[in-house]
Amino acid sequence: MTLRLFNTLTRQLEEFAPLAPPKVTLYTCGPTVWNYAHIGNFRTFVFEDVLRRYLEYSGYQVLHVMNLTDVDDRTIAAANRAGVSLAAHTAPYVEAFFADRDYLRLEPATHYPRATALIPQMVALIERLLQRGVAYQGDDGSVYFAIEKFPTYGRLSRVERRDLKAGARVSSDEYAKEDARDFVLWKAARPEDEQAGAAWDAPFGRGRPGWHLECSAMAQHFLGDTLDLHAGGVDLIFPHHEDEIAQSEAATGRPFVRCWLHGEFLLVDDTKMSKRYGNFVTVRDLRDDGRDPSALRYLLCSTHYRKQLNFTRDALEAAAAGAQRLGEFRQRLVRAVGQEAAGAGAAGEGGLGALSGALEREFGAAMDDDLDAPRAVAALMNFVRDANRALDGGGASRAERERALQVFDRTTAVLQVVPGETRVGRVEAPTAPPQEPQRIAPPAAGEDLETWARRMAEARARARGRRDWQAADEARRLLAQHGFEVRDTKDGAVELRPAGARSKPA
Ligand SMILES: [Zn+2]
């Protein structure tokens, strides 16, 4: 069996084939840190975690990037409402997200870039789009993407071309399909942006990036032009992911993502769980309730990620009972492994050895089938029932008991549905895949020096990303020659300034 995944782009199940196995590049859209993430958001994050862990279970090395959206319409509005700066407002929600991540046993991503830390990369991407003639500056000072210049716009979300309103513009970060029009890449700074400290200088005017652009720039920076996998909730298909494709492909001329995966909504009493409807339960509510996270994970794994799930307290209780059953069985298995007495080793059907082999096969077959976690959970529960019987019979040899525990731990570690101690799966630290090197050369005759410098700073950052120290040093040397100094800040940002300048006035 090989892994097959449902690709939203083609609306088909496709055999998973990464560009450079065993490495897999995965980008998942992270939280917007204007408030606490709700359980609906975490349904998506858990689905992505199961995907990541199953890829690792299958022998892949996953380079996983999840962004933190710390500048967009909502974060700025929330910061202004609270009367604090953007950075001050978002910091506690970033911390809260990481705490919720650890509580829910989400395997940490390789990188968590904050949008505000990669502004130079975003500016460089917009410049490329302007140079290619697919972006333009509106009379309001903002920069827009011209959808008519990108003929395949609408392919992911299947927006009809006749519904596109080319030339008409939308400047908000979130909008509906009825508003499929030129979307904003860079929003000219308004007084409220300045007030929140959410404005940056750029050759095309002071402002801040559009939400969609942020993801394109961050994905490209860490993962290269073409990604193996990009995942998110279904609500991101339009416009967010549609716009990501347009921006990335118009800039690079290459396919942006080979396979798009989207998780369905979590409903509460058949209403989409959202802050807008005021029906959100936060993960911290569950934690404060003293819930073991395995209950929620079991609940989420009991419905396929492409089906809607109705969240109720009763469903959570039932899931907690299921997780409890798995936990009790594991304790029994651990005790059985510790016991000296060796049985006769009842082989064949019903024997513990045969049952372990069957679990491994059924678990793999279920997960290979577009991550059919409900079927995988069913296989685990069947195993618990049959293995309990085998242990009652007392016939299993010590080797069989050990193998049963090993298979049980390996499979449950993918789903993380057993209460108690967290057993984090294998975490590799893969290096970045090779990227198209950007030409590192002195400015061309007549080229704007600042634009060139920003491009060189970006080329240097990318060279460092792929551990090409020689190229990175060359970029730094050229920049110094032309009076620029680059510095890497602690949060991963790159600072570019005239050599000899001080970062802060003394
Ligand atoms: Zn995104």
Side-chain angles (χ1 to χ4, degrees), residues 39 42-43 46 103-104 266 282-283 286 291-302 309 311 316 319-320 323 416-417:
I39 294 184
F42 278 99
R43 180 185 186 197
V46 167
Y103 163 73
L104 266 187
L266 181 77
T282 61
V283 164
L286 294 180
R291 289 272 171 194
D292 189 278
S294 58
L296 181 60
R297 291 198 61 126
Y298 190 103
L299 174 64
L300 298 178
C301 285
S302 300
L309 185 156
F311 179 88
L316 187 64
Q416 294 287 327
V417 286

Side-chain angles (χ1 to χ4, degrees), residues 27 29 67 211 215 230 240-241 244:
Y27 187 91
C29 292
N67 68 294
W211 171 40
C215 277
H230 192 316
H240 189 53
H241 290 162
E244 279 189 40

Side-chain angles (χ1 to χ4, degrees), residues 276-463:
R276 229 166 277 165
Y277 300 114
N279 61 356
F280 66 97
V281 180
T282 61
V283 164
R284 56 200 44 230
D285 291 338
L286 294 180
R287 190 173 47 190
D288 294 348
D289 235 25
R291 289 272 171 194
D292 189 278
S294 58
L296 181 60
R297 291 198 61 126
Y298 190 103
L299 174 64
L300 298 178
C301 285
S302 300
T303 299
H304 193 270
Y305 76 89
R306 286 198 292 117
K307 289 199 176 118
Q308 294 195 340
L309 185 156
N310 205 12
F311 179 88
T312 63
R313 289 278 159 186
D314 285 352
L316 187 64
E317 295 303 336
Q324 186 68 24
R325 193 149 178 245
L326 291 172
E328 282 162 10
F329 170 76
R330 184 174 189 276
Q331 284 169 10
R332 182 180 187 191
L333 207 49
V334 168
R335 281 197 303 273
V337 167
Q339 278 161 9
E340 279 307 314
E349 220 166 315
L352 196 55
L355 292 172
S356 303
L359 170 61
E360 210 164 31
R361 274 194 310 280
E362 282 164 27
F363 179 84
M367 296 300 286
D368 276 343
D369 186 11
D370 194 25
L371 306 175
D372 194 344
R375 220 171 101 202
V377 170
L380 277 166
M381 294 313 264
N382 288 340
F383 176 72
V384 167
R385 182 197 58 214
D386 297 341
N388 264 325
R389 251 178 238 151
L391 289 171
D392 289 343
S397 71
R398 182 150 185 178
E400 278 183 311
R401 286 177 257 150
E402 276 171 0
R403 172 156 157 72
L405 180 60
Q406 192 196 25
V407 171
F408 184 80
D409 279 353
R410 241 170 74 70
T411 49
T412 53
V414 174
L415 308 178
Q416 294 287 327
V417 286
V418 179
E421 157 208 0
T422 306
R423 280 166 291 120
V424 174
R426 186 171 53 97
V427 184
E428 298 258 337
T431 52
Q435 292 174 346
E436 185 71 4
Q438 229 159 332
R439 225 165 71 80
I440 292 171
E447 188 174 1
D448 176 60
L449 207 58
E450 289 244 333
T451 309
W452 168 82
R454 211 170 288 115
R455 208 179 68 236
M456 275 311 100
E458 191 207 5
R460 175 178 162 274
R462 292 180 62 155

Side-chain angles (χ1 to χ4, degrees), residues 103-402:
Y103 163 73
L104 266 187
R105 307 190 199 166
L106 301 173
E107 197 175 342
T110 322
H111 300 286
Y112 287 103
R114 294 173 197 214
T116 53
L118 280 96
I119 300 289
Q121 287 81 353
M122 293 167 194
V123 169
L125 177 56
I126 295 169
E127 294 212 282
R128 258 172 115 178
L129 293 169
L130 283 165
Q131 277 158 16
R132 295 202 160 205
V134 291
Y136 63 92
Q137 193 147 26
D139 45 21
D140 57 353
S142 296
V143 179
Y144 292 87
F145 187 94
I147 52 177
E148 66 169 355
K149 300 279 175 60
F150 188 71
T152 54
Y153 188 84
R155 195 156 69 104
L156 180 74
S157 58
R158 311 232 161 152
V159 171
E160 297 284 337
R161 286 209 66 79
R162 60 185 162 77
D163 292 338
L164 300 180
K165 296 172 199 72
R169 301 192 303 243
V170 53
S171 65
S172 53
D173 282 332
E174 290 189 87
Y175 53 92
K177 269 193 191 177
E178 302 77 66
D179 288 318
R181 47 187 79 188
D182 291 356
F183 58 90
V184 74
L185 302 171
W186 185 260
K187 293 179 114 172
R190 304 160 305 165
E192 49 266 51
D193 299 328
E194 296 286 3
Q195 191 190 321
W200 290 264
D201 286 322
F204 31 81
R206 200 164 159 78
R208 52 99 171 175
W211 171 40
H212 317 299
L213 183 100
E214 295 173 7
C215 277
S216 278
M218 290 187 271
Q220 196 177 78
H221 179 69
F222 288 101
L223 302 174
D225 291 347
T226 302
L227 283 52
D228 291 316
L229 294 168
H230 192 316
V234 283
D235 51 332
L236 295 187
I237 296 176
F238 188 89
H240 189 53
H241 290 162
E242 193 71 68
D243 292 353
E244 279 189 40
I245 294 174
Q247 298 157 159
S248 300
E249 299 192 354
T252 67
R254 289 171 204 208
F256 174 43
V257 171
R258 289 155 61 82
C259 182
W260 284 93
L261 303 177
H262 290 98
E264 258 294 348
F265 286 133
L266 181 77
L267 308 175
V268 175
D269 297 327
D270 298 316
T271 312
K272 179 195 163 190
M273 177 171 272
S274 152
K275 292 189 181 73
R276 229 166 277 165
Y277 300 114
N279 61 356
F280 66 97
V281 180
T282 61
V283 164
R284 56 200 44 230
D285 291 338
L286 294 180
R287 190 173 47 190
D288 294 348
D289 235 25
R291 289 272 171 194
D292 189 278
S294 58
L296 181 60
R297 291 198 61 126
Y298 190 103
L299 174 64
L300 298 178
C301 285
S302 300
T303 299
H304 193 270
Y305 76 89
R306 286 198 292 117
K307 289 199 176 118
Q308 294 195 340
L309 185 156
N310 205 12
F311 179 88
T312 63
R313 289 278 159 186
D314 285 352
L316 187 64
E317 295 303 336
Q324 186 68 24
R325 193 149 178 245
L326 291 172
E328 282 162 10
F329 170 76
R330 184 174 189 276
Q331 284 169 10
R332 182 180 187 191
L333 207 49
V334 168
R335 281 197 303 273
V337 167
Q339 278 161 9
E340 279 307 314
E349 220 166 315
L352 196 55
L355 292 172
S356 303
L359 170 61
E360 210 164 31
R361 274 194 310 280
E362 282 164 27
F363 179 84
M367 296 300 286
D368 276 343
D369 186 11
D370 194 25
L371 306 175
D372 194 344
R375 220 171 101 202
V377 170
L380 277 166
M381 294 313 264
N382 288 340
F383 176 72
V384 167
R385 182 197 58 214
D386 297 341
N388 264 325
R389 251 178 238 151
L391 289 171
D392 289 343
S397 71
R398 182 150 185 178
E400 278 183 311
R401 286 177 257 150
E402 276 171 0

